[in-house]
Amino acid sequence: MRTVLASELSNVRVVSTDGREVGTVENLTIDTATGELQTVVIDSDVAEIFSVERDADGHIRLPATLIESMRDHLTIQPPAEQRPTGGDAVDS
């Protein structure tokens, strides 16, 4: 697994594996006890994505387990397509 600095993800475009433009990375949430990435906070023009609606701040928060890969953009899997073993690995 490739290491990616959180600062490298700011304003990175987010697309889904089914070809939908989701938005851009606004922020990340991390469990401070374990260091595990928990949530990708997305700034988006859509009202909801994958049945997840905007929060009170107007962002969409998706579980980090949806991350499929990170190259010049962040690719996420729709929840129905998730692998049974989870998807926490970030490909280089």
Side-chain angles (χ1 to χ4, degrees):
M1 177 171 64
R2 174 172 82 118
T3 300
V4 177
L5 296 174
S7 61
E8 291 178 34
L9 293 173
S10 182
N11 296 315
V12 167
R13 194 170 62 115
V14 180
V15 297
S16 65
T17 56
D18 62 2
R20 288 188 266 180
E21 285 284 335
V22 177
T24 57
V25 175
E26 177 72 20
N27 213 336
L28 306 168
T29 60
I30 298 171
D31 181 324
T32 57
T34 65
E36 182 178 332
L37 178 61
Q38 292 187 323
T39 308
V40 178
V41 182
I42 299 171
D43 184 23
S44 180
D45 292 335
V46 298
E48 58 89 21
I49 186 77
F50 311 139
S51 300
V52 176
E53 296 182 1
R54 291 175 181 265
D55 64 12
D57 295 327
H59 298 108
I60 295 176
R61 296 175 185 272
L62 296 176
T65 56
L66 298 181
I67 297 173
E68 176 69 21
S69 65
M70 172 60 199
R71 289 186 176 82
D72 61 334
H73 60 274
L74 187 69
T75 304
I76 57 173
Q77 289 183 341
E81 294 180 13
Q82 257 193 303
R83 292 176 290 232
T85 58
D88 353 351
V90 175
D91 299 334
S92 58

